[in-house]
Amino acid sequence: MNRSQLKRSRILRMAFSDSTRSDKEEPFILRASKIAAVVALYWFISISMVFLNNYLLDSKELDAPVFITFFQCVVSVGLCWILNFLSKLCPGFVDFPSLKFDFRVSREVLPLTVVFIGMITFNNLCLKYVGVAFYTVGRSLSTVFNVLLSYAVLKQTTSFYAVLCCGVILGGFWLGVDQESVAGSLSWTGVVFGVIASLCVSLNAIYTKKVMPVVDGNIWKLSYYNNLNASVLFIPLIVVLGELKSLLEFNRLTHLHFWGMMILGGVFGFAIGYVTGLQIKFTSPLTHNVSGTAKSCAQTVLAVIYSASSKSALWWTSNMMVLAGSFAYTWVKGLEMKKVQVPPETPTTSTQKSKEDSAV
């Protein structure tokens, strides 16, 4: 090995060690404050979005859940274009991929869009019929469908402990349905919509992985094409379901407050994608799932307090079973993922790495 190769190798090692040291030297309080701020932002956006959607969907004067969902997709497309423009205007300040409509990409994303439409529509319909308090339980079967579809579509088996966690979730779901029935507030329509929404959430995850290469792995491009396709496909649905007539008869159609809330709902719907990615970046996918479970618990408590309703001990037990099952499933899958990580270096691999370093 000549002197220049040794010098370059030494410089690279110094650069890597310095960057690692600088990361480690970040004060704990500063790092913890950043994580707390990101988690708080995720909670605020997510909970606000659910309550805002419930406010819009619960209107007795306007029965147009598909139109509300359609408008949120339109707002998302508009925000993509605004961010695209700002990224060109201020390239160092705003980082957003360049958007140029490609019909081929739009066509290949279309199967995902169909599932996406089902997911957001049935999510909103479930929320409309069951309310925020029961929403967590009504939409709790996504994890169960993940396991079933992983086996049916991907031929992936699931461990006994993960299946046991799904059993706890199922038990909590049925107990919740039973308690809502006892209280006289059960909406079977809302429950069915919740089950279909859970199925669509699982299918959406599978199809997202499938079409990611089409958009070069860029989640913002995928969001743009998904919402653009959905905006077009929603139009005939609005007409067929008679929501256009309901919209024209709505007496607050020209009120700025109504459109302001509609736009805000679309902004929150778009922002949830960003803050989700931000939380995963600052923590980890496992911590993100734990945070999501805790957020659902807080959301349920807030909904019960806001509605000033009284719930039985078994009703709360059903919620705790769903949340505990979801948390346990996340924890079990996290442990399983650690087990399949790359094994520690052997003397052979260590020697090979030093050879590669010296060849730099």
Side-chain angles (χ1 to χ4, degrees):
M1 182 186 303
N2 59 39
R3 189 175 297 173
S4 63
Q5 286 177 323
L6 278 169
K7 189 175 181 181
R8 277 186 289 168
S9 179
R10 203 172 292 120
I11 289 169
L12 282 171
R13 285 198 186 95
M14 287 173 64
F16 286 129
S17 63
D18 287 346
S19 64
T20 306
R21 196 177 295 118
S22 65
D23 286 341
K24 289 180 179 178
E25 285 174 359
E26 185 181 41
F28 170 76
I29 294 177
L30 179 60
R31 191 167 69 252
S33 299
K34 285 181 180 178
I35 292 172
V38 168
V39 171
L41 181 64
Y42 169 77
W43 278 43
F44 172 74
I45 295 290
S46 183
I47 292 175
S48 298
M49 183 184 69
V50 171
F51 276 93
L52 184 56
N53 279 343
N54 184 66
Y55 167 79
L56 292 168
L57 293 162
D58 201 35
S59 173
K60 301 293 186 292
E61 300 173 7
L62 178 65
D63 185 20
V66 175
F67 171 77
I68 292 169
T69 312
F70 155 77
F71 189 81
Q72 290 176 348
C73 290
V74 172
V75 171
S76 293
V77 173
L79 288 171
C80 284
W81 278 112
I82 291 171
L83 289 172
N84 176 57
F85 173 74
L86 290 176
S87 67
K88 292 176 181 177
L89 194 66
C90 314
F93 185 71
V94 179
D95 183 23
F96 199 80
S98 178
L99 297 179
K100 186 178 180 182
F101 181 75
D102 187 330
F103 183 76
R104 180 192 61 83
V105 175
S106 178
R107 187 181 67 246
E108 292 191 28
V109 172
L110 193 58
L112 172 63
T113 303
V114 174
V115 175
F116 174 73
I117 286 173
M119 180 182 73
I120 58 177
T121 302
F122 287 114
N123 260 335
N124 281 347
L125 286 170
C126 173
L127 184 59
K128 176 181 173 66
Y129 284 96
V130 303
V132 180
F134 191 65
Y135 182 64
T136 299
V137 174
R139 276 263 293 95
S140 63
L141 298 185
S142 299
T143 303
V144 178
F145 281 119
N146 280 340
V147 171
L148 294 174
L149 290 174
S150 294
Y151 180 76
V153 179
L154 305 176
K155 305 302 178 187
Q156 293 177 353
T157 55
T158 305
S159 68
F160 170 75
Y161 290 110
V163 172
L164 198 62
C165 295
C166 290
V168 174
I169 295 171
L170 271 171
F173 173 79
W174 284 116
L175 180 60
V177 170
D178 175 70
Q179 288 305 297
E180 283 287 300
S181 178
V182 170
S185 55
L186 178 66
S187 167
W188 277 107
T189 304
V191 171
V192 171
F193 285 148
V195 172
I196 298 173
S198 300
L199 174 61
C200 289
V201 168
S202 301
L203 286 171
N204 187 72
I206 292 172
Y207 276 96
T208 297
K209 289 180 182 178
K210 191 175 179 181
V211 303
M212 263 298 184
V214 178
V215 290
D216 305 319
N218 192 295
I219 193 68
W220 291 117
K221 278 188 178 180
L222 182 63
S223 176
Y224 167 68
Y225 279 102
N226 227 356
N227 282 285
L228 186 62
N229 285 348
S231 298
V232 175
L233 293 176
F234 268 128
I235 294 172
L237 281 175
I238 292 169
V239 176
V240 169
L241 294 174
E243 290 193 2
L244 192 60
K245 182 183 177 184
S246 177
L247 187 66
L248 293 173
E249 293 174 352
F250 183 48
N251 58 9
R252 289 192 290 122
L253 188 62
T254 56
H255 288 200
L256 288 177
H257 178 262
F258 168 72
W259 290 109
M261 297 299 281
M262 289 282 284
I263 292 170
L264 190 60
V267 170
F268 276 123
F270 181 80
I272 192 64
Y274 174 74
V275 294
T276 296
L278 200 64
Q279 181 168 248
I280 292 170
K281 177 184 175 182
F282 275 84
T283 57
S284 68
L286 178 62
T287 307
H288 166 68
N289 286 334
V290 173
S291 172
T293 303
K295 186 271 305 179
S296 297
C297 181
Q299 182 177 285
T300 301
V301 173
L302 285 172
V304 172
I305 293 171
Y306 178 76
S307 61
S309 56
S310 177
K311 302 294 183 181
S312 67
L314 285 176
W315 187 92
W316 286 109
T317 301
S318 72
N319 276 269
M320 290 303 104
M321 285 177 68
V322 165
L323 294 171
S326 300
F327 173 80
Y329 179 85
T330 300
W331 182 65
V332 167
K333 296 302 286 186
L335 290 177
E336 290 175 358
M337 286 175 68
K338 284 183 181 178
K339 288 180 182 177
V340 297
Q341 281 180 349
V342 180
E345 286 183 10
T346 61
T348 309
T349 57
S350 181
T351 306
Q352 181 63 31
K353 279 186 75 178
S354 29
K355 283 182 182 177
E356 290 171 356
D357 287 340
S358 64
V360 175

